[in-house]
Amino acid sequence: MVRMKLVLAIVQDKDADSLAKEFIQNDVRATKLATSGGFLRAGNTTFIVGIEDDRVNEVLEIIKKSSHTREQYVSNMNMDAAGTSMLGKPVQVTVGGATVFVLPVEEFKHF
Amino acid sequence: MVRMKLVLAIVQDKDADSLAKEFIQNDVRATKLATSGGFLRAGNTTFIVGIEDDRVNEVLEIIKKSSHTREQYVSNMNMDAAGTSMLGKPVQVTVGGATVFVLPVEEFKHF
Amino acid sequence: MVRMKLVLAIVQDKDADSLAKEFIQNDVRATKLATSGGFLRAGNTTFIVGIEDDRVNEVLEIIKKSSHTREQYVSNMNMDAAGTSMLGKPVQVTVGGATVFVLPVEEFKHF
Ligand code: NI
Ligand code: NI
Ligand code: NI
């Protein structure tokens, strides 16, 4: 019998689409829950993944790649007194980050 | 002490109402999560069920009965060149199907 | 290595905001899922909390405090035949109540 694990991944909304795509490309069956935001970081999405024991590390790598914390430079559009818009000085912001739980599964059924 | 299990069932939206009704009729307490779709099959609903150890099989049977994969014949309305609508040849489609996880529970509280 | 647990708490919508506030004040990281209602009681909210083994009881106490069952007296506004509104006799109603599962976690990652 194949042992299964349940992987619960809470990622930022902006990482959810690329993570979903990675899951499909790697033949990982995932279900997306509508998550109405964590507290510290707004806009989280939760994925439930049922996966064979020996593919857990693969799934963790996929999640890590798509949603790890990283720095980005963002330039906002500003408007000066004359109404001319100009690109503001780039600001460094931290994006991404995922919280992942691997849970034991006693029974797994597909009807 | 009664041992509890957590049953997580991901079913198709179209099976969710009848499954909910079956849970109520069989005195199974379930919570429905808003699931924003799996990838392969659009429109999934996730149920969380807390259940005593010795009723897990009963719950699995209820889920199986309400949402197992089955074939259905569907006839689409077609329109011919003259604009006359006619019932198309019945097409066989697969509906239903559930993914179910039974998880161990260390503590169960009701406040 | 710190052992983690996953606490899944299903509370009434009306208790969700104060519970969320308590989690923040006690430095408990929680994620709120959009739950589309239980069956018996409409309007439930589900929280997922990842917490260290030795803080599980603290989390259970927080949930209990914010969402245990309690009696409340509610007075409805009634209107008599002449169209005069008057405060009805107070009626006792039961509010609150939470269902909580503590699940074992095999791996916990933060990317
Ligand atoms: Ni990277
Ligand atoms: Ni059948
Ligand atoms: Ni109280």
Side-chain angles (χ1 to χ4, degrees):
Chain A
M1 202 184 76
V2 182
R3 296 300 298 173
M4 299 291 291
K5 301 292 178 200
L6 192 152
V7 179
L8 196 77
I10 303 165
V11 307
Q12 288 198 6
D13 282 349
K14 66 186 308 178
D15 288 328
D17 283 349
S18 73
L19 180 52
K21 208 183 296 179
E22 287 292 326
F23 281 148
I24 294 171
Q25 281 174 1
N26 291 278
D27 204 29
V28 172
R29 308 249 340 225
T31 298
K32 193 166 68 175
L33 298 182
T35 315
S36 61
F39 304 137
L40 306 177
R41 301 171 294 163
N44 290 332
T45 297
T46 299
F47 288 92
I48 296 176
V49 178
I51 197 76
E52 297 80 9
D53 220 337
D54 58 6
R55 292 189 65 198
V56 167
N57 284 338
E58 181 192 341
V59 169
L60 293 177
E61 279 306 310
I62 291 169
I63 297 167
K64 185 178 181 179
K65 200 180 113 192
S66 287
S67 52
H68 65 145
T69 304
R70 65 245 178 222
E71 305 299 323
Q72 265 184 8
Y73 282 91
V74 178
S75 287
N76 292 313
M77 271 302 188
N78 295 320
M79 211 171 291
D80 67 13
T84 314
S85 65
M86 32 180 239
L87 209 56
K89 204 177 142 190
V91 181
Q92 196 183 29
V93 294
T94 304
V95 297
T99 302
V100 187
F101 302 90
V102 180
L103 305 179
V105 172
E106 292 195 355
E107 276 188 83
F108 175 73
K109 298 276 183 187
H110 217 96
F111 296 130
Chain B
M1 200 185 77
V2 182
R3 296 299 300 173
M4 299 291 291
K5 301 292 178 199
L6 191 153
V7 179
L8 196 77
I10 303 166
V11 307
Q12 288 197 8
D13 282 348
K14 66 187 307 178
D15 289 327
D17 282 350
S18 73
L19 180 51
K21 208 183 294 179
E22 287 293 325
F23 281 148
I24 294 171
Q25 281 174 1
N26 290 278
D27 204 28
V28 172
R29 308 248 343 223
T31 298
K32 193 166 69 175
L33 297 182
T35 315
S36 62
F39 304 137
L40 304 177
R41 300 171 295 162
N44 291 331
T45 296
T46 298
F47 288 91
I48 296 175
V49 179
I51 197 77
E52 298 80 8
D53 221 338
D54 56 8
R55 292 188 67 200
V56 167
N57 285 338
E58 182 193 339
V59 169
L60 293 178
E61 279 305 310
I62 292 170
I63 297 167
K64 184 178 180 177
K65 201 180 112 194
S66 286
S67 52
H68 66 145
T69 304
R70 66 247 178 217
E71 305 299 323
Q72 265 184 8
Y73 283 91
V74 178
S75 287
N76 292 313
M77 273 301 188
N78 295 320
M79 212 171 290
D80 67 11
T84 315
S85 66
M86 31 179 240
L87 209 56
K89 204 176 141 191
V91 181
Q92 196 183 30
V93 295
T94 303
V95 298
T99 302
V100 187
F101 302 91
V102 180
L103 305 179
V105 172
E106 292 194 353
E107 276 188 84
F108 175 73
K109 298 277 184 186
H110 216 96
F111 296 129
Chain C
M1 203 184 75
V2 182
R3 296 299 300 172
M4 300 291 291
K5 300 291 179 202
L6 191 152
V7 179
L8 196 77
I10 302 166
V11 307
Q12 287 197 8
D13 282 349
K14 66 187 306 178
D15 288 327
D17 282 349
S18 73
L19 179 52
K21 209 184 293 180
E22 287 294 326
F23 280 148
I24 293 172
Q25 280 173 1
N26 290 278
D27 204 28
V28 172
R29 308 251 339 225
T31 297
K32 193 166 68 173
L33 297 183
T35 313
S36 61
F39 304 137
L40 305 176
R41 300 172 295 163
N44 290 332
T45 296
T46 298
F47 287 92
I48 296 175
V49 178
I51 197 76
E52 296 80 9
D53 220 337
D54 57 7
R55 292 190 66 199
V56 167
N57 285 337
E58 182 192 338
V59 169
L60 292 177
E61 280 304 311
I62 291 169
I63 297 167
K64 186 178 180 177
K65 202 180 112 194
S66 287
S67 52
H68 65 145
T69 304
R70 66 249 179 216
E71 306 299 324
Q72 264 184 9
Y73 283 90
V74 178
S75 288
N76 293 313
M77 272 302 190
N78 295 319
M79 211 172 292
D80 67 12
T84 314
S85 64
M86 31 180 242
L87 209 56
K89 203 176 142 191
V91 181
Q92 197 183 29
V93 294
T94 303
V95 297
T99 302
V100 187
F101 301 91
V102 180
L103 306 180
V105 172
E106 292 194 354
E107 276 188 83
F108 175 73
K109 299 278 182 185
H110 216 96
F111 296 129

